[in-house]
Amino acid sequence: MRFDYLLTNRLKLRKITPEVMNHVFTTMQDSDIIDFLALSDFQSLEKEKNKYRSGLSSFNRSFVNFQLIDKKTDKIIGGCGFHTWQTNHNRAELGYGLFYENYKRKGLMTEALKAILSYGFNEMNLNRVEALTSEDNIASIAVLKHFDFKFEGILREHYNANGNMEDSFMYSLLKHEFNLNI
């Protein structure tokens, strides 16, 4: 299968869609899936298989994610992209994260998000991007503010974190607000 990439200064962003995931789960061996998805163990693989079996998209919901790959080492270091993509409403929720501490606080997520947001607004025709974060996730809030996401409010007891219901802070960015020059 041919994979699409976005390139930044330090990263290759490999595009992951429902079609890619279908290819992965129907043609690859378990050990290859673990490597491709950068999973930590077979328990994580089973979680991903269950998601796949349950259905990755529907008639009006889909996703476009990207694996963050370090150009120097070719190592998958994180993920970023749009889940809960409401195709009929031109909006999606943004998710992102780095897997390793030694890659954090180097501006890599800001670099990736610039390309990802541009892709979302220009290629996916998104009008609105939403982001939810914990009030304690200072780094995530700083990245959102860097791109001028607007705080919209608090979703009370919205997220189950290991059995504890936590509030989520809701942010959004509209297409006409996105500044590629940031």
Side-chain angles (χ1 to χ4, degrees):
M1 173 169 224
R2 185 182 144 281
F3 298 102
D4 293 329
Y5 290 87
L6 300 177
L7 300 176
T8 70
N9 198 29
R10 297 176 287 173
L11 300 168
K12 294 188 295 186
L13 308 171
R14 181 168 44 198
K15 185 177 173 184
I16 305 294
T17 62
E19 294 77 22
V20 169
M21 294 302 282
N22 187 51
H23 172 77
V24 166
F25 284 109
T26 60
T27 66
M28 291 184 175
Q29 299 295 318
D30 285 356
S31 59
D32 296 326
I33 296 171
I34 287 173
D35 290 342
F36 183 82
L37 297 178
L39 302 173
S40 57
D41 53 33
F42 281 97
Q43 185 177 359
S44 299
L45 173 63
E46 281 307 310
K47 285 182 182 177
E48 293 302 317
K49 282 183 172 182
N50 285 335
K51 286 186 213 175
Y52 175 73
R53 285 190 288 265
S54 296
L56 296 173
S57 60
S58 67
F59 74 96
N60 68 345
R61 261 188 209 157
S62 192
F63 68 89
V64 176
N65 288 320
F66 294 85
Q67 292 174 316
L68 280 59
I69 302 170
D70 183 337
K71 277 186 178 178
K72 288 184 182 175
T73 64
D74 224 27
K75 179 179 183 177
I76 300 170
I77 62 168
C80 182
F82 303 102
H83 59 91
T84 320
W85 174 19
Q86 300 277 338
T87 56
N88 55 336
H89 296 292
N90 302 83
R91 73 172 184 257
E93 186 178 333
L94 180 68
Y96 48 87
L98 291 169
F99 300 152
Y100 308 102
E101 284 299 318
N102 59 319
Y103 284 97
K104 294 180 180 180
R105 292 172 293 285
K106 297 183 184 323
L108 289 166
M109 193 53 70
T110 300
E111 183 177 320
L113 276 175
K114 184 175 181 179
I116 300 297
L117 288 167
S118 179
Y119 183 88
F121 288 127
N122 295 312
E123 303 301 320
M124 296 170 60
N125 197 34
L126 295 176
N127 181 63
R128 176 184 167 89
V129 174
E130 300 169 345
L132 299 165
T133 186
S134 162
E135 67 181 305
D136 299 327
N137 194 338
I138 305 304
S140 181
I141 293 169
V143 168
L144 295 173
K145 286 182 177 181
H146 174 83
F147 287 101
D148 291 329
F149 274 73
K150 308 294 185 248
F151 178 72
E152 292 191 338
I154 299 170
L155 303 176
R156 300 177 310 132
E157 296 186 10
H158 177 257
Y159 187 78
N160 186 341
N162 300 318
N164 295 317
M165 297 309 296
E166 294 182 354
D167 296 345
S168 293
F169 279 28
M170 169 67 94
Y171 289 84
S172 71
L173 182 67
L174 303 178
K175 184 174 186 171
H176 67 85
E177 297 170 335
F178 178 59
N179 182 357
L180 189 59
N181 297 318
I182 288 181

